Every structure is written in structure tokens, then in C-alpha cells.
Amino acid sequence: MELIAAGRTADVFALDAHRVLRRYRSNSTALAEAKIMEHVRAHGFPVPAVHDATETDLVLERLQGPTMLQAFSRRPWRVLRYGRRLGELHDRLHRVPAPDWLPGDGNQVLHLDFHPDNVIMTPDGPSVIDWCNARSGEPALDVATTLILLTTGEAPQGVERLARKVISDAFLRGSRTDPEPGLRAATRARLDDPNTTPAERVLLLGILERC
């Protein structure tokens, strides 16, 4: 199988022109991820179709197009548009009611890893991937988590800090949700994530001191 993407916890392989295999490197909850993807898709939120799932593997619709991160890296003059679109997508997701079986403590579905590298810009519009962190809760936590990822996550070469600030500001204008109530919890959750790098931890501790 052709490896077409590699993240911090999973690899993505091309199966054919229409399907990909997302394989986690350790035992995971891929079945639960498939279930929440099917739920939000049934409510009209854009995600790839799920063809099959096991504990560690997801067979998904193969989406055509760059990630939002790749798109604004290639066309930085569109960064404001992409930032606002990211905020609008958050608000759209938070209108999806959380099912009773989804872990958490709220009435709305949260993604909790909703950054530009998890949005595929297809010819039919953006589609959101990587739902392994999904839970129910308050939208402020989801928006705060994305803001933390935008401002502290390690970015690829060519994405300068100024561009990160611009897209972060546009993101906050695109969403109607105030992230402030969720900022402290989002920062602590990111600090507790074993995949967080030392450089990211330094920035996160600075944010925590200001909360």
C-alpha cells in the first residue's frame, strides 16, 4: 500500500482511487471514531464516508484536494478567507446535537483537534478528518483548543508566526463562540498530551500563566 500521509498517531495509505486506510500505530478507538463520523455526516456536517472500521483501522472515502494548511501555505493572500471558514465550520459543527453514547458532559459535538491540517479542501467544499478526540461538551472548549493549536503547534517551514496570528484572528472572527471560558482547560489538556513537543510546552506554559 502507498503511504500518503503520516500523523502523530496514525498513518494513511491509499487503497485505490476512492478509498484510504487510516491505521493507528497502537490500539485505539477507531470503531468509536467511525460512529461519531457517521453521526455528524447524518446531520449534514462534511466528513469523509466510512466504508469499514476495526479497533485500529478505518477505511474511508478518499478525498481529493489539499489540506487547508497546504492551501494557505501556497496562497497566503487567502489566509483571512481560510481563517474565517475554519471558524464558520466550528459553529456549524456545534449545531450538531451530541448523541447519548458520546463521552463528555455537554449537548454539542466537539472535535477537539480541529486545525487546518485536519480540513481537506475538496472541489465540493471543506471536509473534516481525524475524529479520534471527539466528545460532547461546551463549544468554547473546542474553539479554545483550535486557538491553542493555531498559536502553539509546530508549523511547517514557510508558515511564519505572522501568518499564524493572521489566521488565528480571522478564525476568531469567523466563529461566534468566545473561547475564553475554555482556554485554561484546553491548555491543560494540550500539556497533558504525550504528543506535545518540548517547544510547544514552553508556549503552552506561557498561556497558562496568563489565564
Side-chain angles (χ1 to χ4, degrees):
M1 293 183 294
E2 177 192 359
L3 177 67
I4 58 175
R8 297 188 183 190
T9 60
D11 299 311
V12 180
F13 301 89
L15 294 179
D16 54 39
H18 305 289
R19 299 175 304 150
V20 296
L21 169 65
R22 180 180 177 86
R23 173 163 288 168
Y24 287 93
R25 301 190 192 98
S26 61
N27 190 36
S28 69
T29 55
L31 286 170
E33 184 176 356
K35 194 174 181 181
I36 189 58
M37 289 177 69
E38 291 171 338
H39 173 78
V40 298
R41 182 178 172 87
H43 282 79
F45 191 79
V47 299
V50 178
H51 295 298
D52 197 9
T54 68
E55 283 296 327
T56 57
D57 292 354
L58 287 172
V59 178
L60 302 171
E61 173 189 4
R62 185 171 184 175
L63 302 176
Q64 302 299 324
T67 67
M68 182 180 282
L69 179 60
Q70 291 169 334
F72 85 68
S73 297
R74 297 169 186 169
R75 299 177 176 86
W77 59 89
R78 295 185 178 178
V79 67
L80 290 173
R81 180 189 305 177
Y82 291 131
R84 288 193 297 269
R85 176 67 67 86
L86 189 64
E88 292 163 359
L89 281 169
H90 274 68
D91 288 355
R92 184 175 170 185
L93 173 62
H94 299 149
R95 290 194 289 270
V96 176
D100 293 340
W101 44 261
L102 185 65
D105 55 4
N107 297 320
Q108 284 109 345
V109 174
L110 311 183
H111 185 282
L112 297 179
D113 198 20
F114 205 153
H115 54 76
D117 218 22
N118 278 338
V119 181
I120 308 298
M121 306 301 289
T122 79
D124 295 325
S127 187
V128 183
I129 61 172
D130 197 356
W131 290 80
C132 58
N133 291 341
R135 55 171 287 180
S136 67
E138 293 300 321
L141 178 61
D142 214 8
V143 174
T145 298
T146 296
L147 183 62
I148 291 293
L149 292 169
L150 289 172
T151 55
T152 68
E154 291 188 351
Q157 187 175 5
V159 181
E160 304 296 336
R161 184 164 295 278
L162 176 60
R164 291 161 59 139
K165 183 179 188 324
V166 171
I167 195 172
S168 298
D169 290 346
F171 164 67
L172 292 176
R173 289 196 294 272
S175 172
R176 297 182 179 181
T177 300
D178 179 8
E180 188 65 30
L183 195 58
R184 189 172 187 84
T187 305
R188 287 191 176 278
R190 189 67 177 159
L191 282 167
D192 290 340
D193 187 335
N195 295 306
T196 299
T197 68
E200 291 168 344
R201 289 185 64 84
V202 171
L203 296 174
L204 289 164
L205 288 170
I207 293 173
L208 196 60
E209 289 177 358
R210 297 192 296 271
C211 287

